[in-house]
Amino acid sequence: MTAAPKGAPASWHPTACILCECNCGLEVEVGGEDGRRLVRIRGDKAHPISEGYACEKPSRLDYYQNDSARLTRPLRRRPDGSFEEIDWETAIREVAERLRAIRDAHGGESIFYYGGGGQGNHLPAAYSRTLRAVLGMRYRSNALAQEKTGEAWVSGRMLGTFTRSDFEHCEVGVFLGKNPWFSHGLPRARVTLRELARDPDRCLIVIDPRRTETAELADVHLQVSPGGDAWLLAAMFAALVQEDRLADDWIEAHCDGLETVRPHFAALPIAEYCARAGVPESQVRAAARRIADARSVAFFEDLGVQMNRHSTLVSYLHRLLVYGTGNYGRPGSAHPVTSLQPLLTMGSGERDERSPVTGARIISGLVPCNVIPEEILTDHPRRFRAMFVEAANPAHSLADGPRMREALEALDLLVVVDVALTETARLADYVLPVATQFEKAEATFFNFEFPRNAFHLRRALLDPPEGLFPEAELHARLAEAMGVMPRDAVDALREAWLDGREAFRRGFFTRLAEDPRFLALAPVVLYRAIGDRLPAGYAE
């Protein structure tokens, strides 16, 4: 849609929140003097998952969309460190030339990709694949590598897939390093928490050093010492083993390997572990018994433990509690996710990929965030010499910010794609501004609910400011500047589109069968071929 005429009455339009993974459905009143203000925001009662629910976060969306720091022109760093605005033709040409020069001199592996997509900004991630393939960029990372890869590795080894839990129907809900009253992470979080806390037949257990808002609601608050989560979880599982409270029949039918684990917990000194965790043994045993006795238990671990000590071990111990009590694959318990696009690539861990300088293990295709500076600040011949950062701010969001900024400043080239001059963008050689999440087509990819699931594809709420466009256009222009856009394929598919979907589908897969390398170019080819022929607001 276009912006409302200046001074026109405000009108309501459906969209979604972009400020947490739930992407709750919203209705937004667009108006204001320039027709671009998000005047009022309310939950969309027609949305099948959020059902009209909205927390206070979306009330601030207009400050994001219309921030005075919004960038509208490409920026190039001058020799004195300041920035100058340049036109798009110059920006695309120079960025393409400098990326190719580094690839030709040092190999595509020396160009590191960070980001891609981002919260509420999911569809653009597909287009970066073309740039990475064309340049031969082997290594990449994003914020998930400092949060979720340990959990992903454990999930892959233990189950082969990622899991979430059904808190709507559980008897017992357990939150580990998670405060969903504010961080959400599950649909209609506050409604679900209130229902869980108020039902005398149900139980809410929170494991957190702080007395959070969620802990205030809890029936049981295990106030673990900071960094003591592994001690606590080990003690809880040991209590189940030593009191013979495991779901032995379920384990025998569904699990292998417990016989190698059980003896360690049978001999574990529970009192000592409880002391190390900082939680009274009686409280630990009572919580473990409540979990074992429940007909269903839902678990949620999050950043409080995943960005803390022994996080991968914590993920493993957490899952011992889940599977040891049989809380998998039934209502109110853990279930495999059914999202359209996987959050992370699960694997058995048998493929041993390592980063080029430090030799750090690469999990789910992501280089660990904490080693990125060491992969740059060295004279190693395989060091990272350039970074392409998209919808991310590693100078601000990663551990040891000063070291990260030193590394970014040491690069031969830093290109940042973002809507504002972030801390990372201030260090860049080129800053390429793009459309916001409300100025292009978007979708919900964190649709983890089961068995009731929904995928929300939404069109642009506003047109971008003059001169700006979505990442799809940016990557298409970069591909063209590098001379890799196959014009014959674009023209053939564009023509096939006019002959109907079957002709288009046949033409696309025929092209792919004839040249498997075409897959890497497919996102930008499809965008060029039919982007302008899709319904208004859905091209991206």
Side-chain angles (χ1 to χ4, degrees):
M1 62 169 285
T2 58
K6 184 175 181 179
S11 55
W12 290 93
H13 301 276
T15 185
C17 183
I18 59 171
L19 297 179
C20 92
E21 66 180 75
C22 294
N23 296 141
C24 295
L26 301 176
E27 290 183 311
V28 177
E29 191 178 37
V30 180
E33 289 189 4
D34 59 0
R36 297 183 58 84
R37 309 300 303 196
L38 308 185
V39 180
R40 287 194 295 169
I41 298 169
R42 66 192 182 195
D44 183 359
K45 294 181 179 179
H47 195 277
I49 299 299
S50 55
E51 299 176 347
Y53 176 86
C55 69
E56 71 272 20
K57 291 181 183 180
S59 66
R60 305 284 293 179
L61 281 172
D62 186 65
Y63 293 89
Y64 169 83
Q65 171 62 33
N66 293 298
D67 194 290
S68 59
R70 176 80 183 275
L71 296 176
T72 58
R73 294 286 299 277
L75 302 179
R76 177 176 61 192
R77 182 174 296 281
R78 296 188 180 102
D80 65 2
S82 62
F83 284 107
E84 61 181 334
E85 291 188 351
I86 56 176
D87 61 80
W88 274 108
E89 182 179 355
T90 300
I92 296 293
R93 183 185 70 252
E94 291 186 1
V95 167
E97 288 174 351
R98 293 190 63 177
L99 287 170
R100 282 187 302 186
I102 292 173
R103 177 200 62 188
D104 295 345
H106 305 288
E109 294 183 358
S110 68
I111 306 174
F112 186 62
Y113 182 88
Y114 189 90
Q119 189 58 268
N121 195 44
H122 309 301
L123 294 181
Y127 297 97
S128 67
R129 296 178 182 178
T130 296
L131 180 72
R132 302 198 322 257
V134 167
L135 292 171
M137 299 163 66
R138 176 180 174 185
Y139 300 105
R140 65 186 180 93
S141 194
N142 58 42
L144 292 173
Q146 66 176 346
E147 305 165 355
K148 297 295 182 182
T149 47
E151 184 183 11
W153 186 81
V154 169
S155 296
R157 296 284 289 181
M158 294 184 76
L159 202 65
T161 186
F162 205 75
T163 61
R164 292 294 284 267
S165 285
D166 175 11
F167 284 90
E168 187 175 354
H169 302 101
C170 68
E171 179 182 329
V172 174
V174 181
F175 291 100
L176 174 61
K178 173 75 174 174
N179 181 16
W181 187 264
F182 271 125
S183 64
H184 298 268
L186 59 148
R188 304 166 64 247
R190 294 184 177 181
V191 173
T192 301
L193 287 173
R194 288 194 190 100
E195 290 175 350
L196 182 56
R198 292 172 178 173
D199 189 333
D201 296 326
R202 303 172 74 190
C203 179
L204 175 59
I205 299 175
V206 172
I207 301 173
D208 202 304
R210 294 179 59 247
R211 187 71 174 174
T212 64
E213 290 78 7
T214 306
E216 288 285 351
L217 290 173
D219 300 282
V220 178
H221 178 201
L222 301 178
Q223 197 162 10
V224 63
S225 298
D229 304 276
W231 299 99
L232 174 64
L233 295 174
M236 292 178 73
F237 189 70
L240 298 181
V241 171
Q242 294 176 22
E243 296 181 13
D244 196 24
R245 289 176 175 271
L246 295 182
D248 290 324
D249 292 343
W250 189 91
I251 291 171
E252 184 177 354
H254 299 93
C255 303
D256 292 315
L258 183 63
E259 65 278 0
T260 65
V261 174
R262 190 192 295 261
H264 297 284
F265 290 93
L268 187 142
I270 294 176
E272 179 183 334
Y273 273 53
C274 290
R276 296 291 295 268
V279 182
E281 181 182 355
S282 60
Q283 194 176 12
V284 172
R285 288 184 180 272
R289 291 167 188 155
R290 184 67 180 91
I291 290 170
D293 293 343
R295 68 178 183 277
S296 63
V297 186
F299 293 80
F300 199 137
E301 70 168 79
D302 211 5
L303 306 191
V305 292
Q306 291 173 346
M307 298 179 69
N308 207 329
R309 301 183 185 96
H310 317 302
S311 59
T312 303
L313 175 60
V314 167
S315 293
Y316 171 69
L317 294 169
H318 155 214
R319 278 162 176 75
L320 285 183
L321 281 174
V322 176
Y323 309 137
T325 53
N327 282 290
Y328 177 74
R330 64 191 188 199
S333 69
H335 56 79
V337 300
T338 55
S339 57
L340 179 69
Q341 177 69 25
L343 174 63
L344 288 165
T345 303
M346 299 296 115
S348 65
E350 295 171 357
R351 185 178 179 183
D352 188 17
E353 284 189 288
R354 302 278 175 168
S355 62
V357 175
T358 66
R361 183 188 291 274
I362 296 174
I363 301 174
S364 294
L366 304 177
V367 173
C369 294
N370 286 349
V371 306
I372 293 173
E374 311 314 314
E375 299 285 339
I376 298 170
L377 296 169
T378 174
D379 59 359
H380 194 286
R382 296 183 63 200
R383 68 184 181 274
F384 298 148
R385 299 171 185 268
M387 278 182 68
F388 195 96
V389 178
E390 194 165 13
N393 187 11
H396 178 71
S397 61
L398 299 188
D400 196 353
R403 183 70 167 166
M404 188 70 227
R405 289 189 288 274
E406 179 187 359
L408 293 173
E409 291 175 328
L411 292 165
D412 296 344
L413 175 66
L414 174 59
V415 179
V416 172
V417 179
D418 217 315
V419 299
L421 199 62
T422 65
E423 288 83 355
T424 303
R426 294 187 188 112
L427 305 174
D429 298 288
Y430 294 88
V431 184
L432 308 179
V434 289
T436 71
Q437 290 96 317
F438 293 117
E439 296 166 355
K440 59 195 172 193
E442 258 306 336
T444 301
F445 278 104
F446 296 127
N447 46 327
F448 296 141
E449 298 76 34
F450 182 86
R452 190 168 58 96
N453 199 294
F455 174 77
H456 186 186
L457 176 65
R458 54 191 185 271
R459 66 178 182 176
L461 187 66
L462 299 163
D463 288 335
E466 184 178 356
L468 293 188
F469 39 75
E471 289 89 338
E473 178 68 27
L474 172 66
H475 284 285
R477 293 190 187 189
L478 285 170
E480 289 162 344
M482 294 180 186
V484 297
M485 180 72 80
R487 291 305 316 179
D488 60 330
V490 172
D491 294 340
L493 290 173
R494 190 170 179 83
E495 188 67 26
W497 182 260
L498 299 178
D499 294 330
R501 293 184 179 181
E502 178 58 30
F504 181 81
R505 184 194 66 80
R506 187 168 56 249
F508 176 80
F509 284 105
T510 297
R511 174 78 58 167
L512 184 60
E514 293 173 348
D515 182 8
R517 295 172 298 178
F518 175 69
L519 183 61
L521 298 171
V524 295
V525 170
L526 291 173
Y527 175 75
R528 274 288 179 261
I530 63 172
D532 61 348
R533 290 179 171 172
L534 294 177
Y538 284 114
E540 297 81 35

